[in-house]
Amino acid sequence: MPTINWFPGHMNNTRHALAALMPTCDVIIELLDARLPLSSSNPLLDELRRNIPGKGEHGAHGDVPCITLLTKADLADPKVTAAWQQYLHDHRNVKTAAVCLNDKDDIKRLPKLVKKLALKKNRHGKPLRVMIVGIPNVGKSTLVNALRGKRIARVGDEPAVTKGRQEVKLGKDIVLVDTPGILWPKFEGQGVGLKLVISGAIKDTAYEYNDIAIPLIRWLQSQYPDALQTRYKLDDPQLEPTQLLNLIGKKRGCLVAGGQVDASRACELLLREIRSGKLGRLSLESPDSTNALTE
């Protein structure tokens, strides 16, 4: 499978902008995708957060307090999400909250947590500045809208909808700084890139559907064969991957002239249905097998 990477010029610009913005912020909210918490954790963001010059009030090395949210928890396998929360707590000393950004009860407790974490409750009457960061299409703008109670930030079911930083006041005490999603220049192995593709973090024009079809089918056969069988009414979900993709394409009308299956359209349909939860709640990695998607 060809190498998957996506780091367009605007992301490099965003990296420099984040480096300049972080010293002005009191708390960071990092959003990870609950379906792939490890692969959606951007090493660039962690490096920036922990190496802020001139921010001594946040402790050694300028470490800014961080709230970690596992978004899209309603699309992830709940048992795997719970295992990830325990793993991140035990191995990385990171406390997380698994949330559905459309659930008001999940969101309403965030402002109090922000104020509790901020080492300076009020900067001489100025509101606390809270930066929201994460990979593309992980829900940053959706979170801003949920906290504000109305649509302020533009959202969309595709990566790179937010093109520039925007600041939104949350009452008198908090200013939210919404930032564009950012990836990193080179992924650690093909598994990471493939998971990011499946999650929707990488723009569809950055890869070919035919290149990811077989690894995608093999992963479903290995991890969620029942979901695959139920969704597409298959007699045998363990058919050879190419045969299985063709069968799904036929069942869903992904055909070209002469009745042949359009494998690219069939893969696109499969991706779309995974992302929307039509195959059920699926997790792309677990603490016990983070590299299941490698081929």
Side-chain angles (χ1 to χ4, degrees), residues 57-240:
E57 67 266 27
H58 287 302
H61 309 298
D63 196 355
V64 179
C66 183
I67 299 170
T68 302
L69 301 182
L70 301 182
T71 65
K72 306 190 180 185
D74 54 319
L75 297 176
D77 185 324
K79 290 183 179 179
V80 177
T81 298
W84 270 117
Q85 289 185 275
Q86 190 65 49
Y87 174 89
L88 291 169
H89 179 270
D90 293 345
H91 295 273
R92 297 195 173 190
N93 196 30
V94 174
K95 292 183 179 180
T96 62
V99 299
C100 172
L101 296 178
N102 294 318
D103 188 327
K104 293 182 180 179
D105 290 336
D106 280 351
I107 302 305
K108 67 181 182 182
R109 62 178 182 263
L110 268 178
K112 288 185 179 179
L113 183 56
V114 163
K115 293 176 184 177
K116 182 179 178 181
L117 274 183
L119 297 182
K120 287 195 170 183
K121 302 293 182 183
N122 195 308
R123 303 182 308 170
H124 307 292
K126 295 181 180 179
L128 298 170
R129 291 177 58 81
V130 180
M131 179 183 286
I132 301 175
V133 298
I135 65 171
N137 203 26
V138 76
K140 297 178 296 299
S141 296
T142 301
L143 175 61
V144 170
N145 292 339
L147 287 168
R148 189 66 175 83
K150 61 181 179 179
R151 182 164 177 159
I152 301 293
R154 184 183 169 211
V155 298
D157 190 21
E158 59 178 312
V161 169
T162 301
K163 301 297 184 183
R165 149 187 151 215
Q166 47 192 340
E167 298 191 4
V168 177
K169 290 184 178 180
L170 199 63
K172 297 180 179 179
D173 300 327
I174 296 174
V175 172
L176 302 174
V177 183
D178 184 21
T179 62
I182 181 174
L183 293 172
W184 53 107
K186 188 175 181 181
F187 303 139
E188 304 77 14
Q190 281 297 87
V192 172
L194 187 54
K195 292 169 198 173
L196 291 169
V197 163
I198 296 172
S199 74
I202 294 179
K203 210 170 186 64
D204 287 350
T205 54
Y207 58 89
E208 297 292 336
Y209 289 114
N210 289 337
D211 291 336
I212 66 168
I214 299 308
L216 177 59
I217 291 286
R218 284 177 176 159
W219 168 71
L220 284 168
Q221 289 176 319
S222 171
Q223 301 299 318
Y224 294 101
D226 292 343
L228 188 62
Q229 185 171 28
T230 300
R231 178 63 184 170
Y232 300 109
K233 298 180 173 58
L234 303 172
D235 293 329
D236 181 9
Q238 298 300 333
L239 287 173
E240 194 276 327

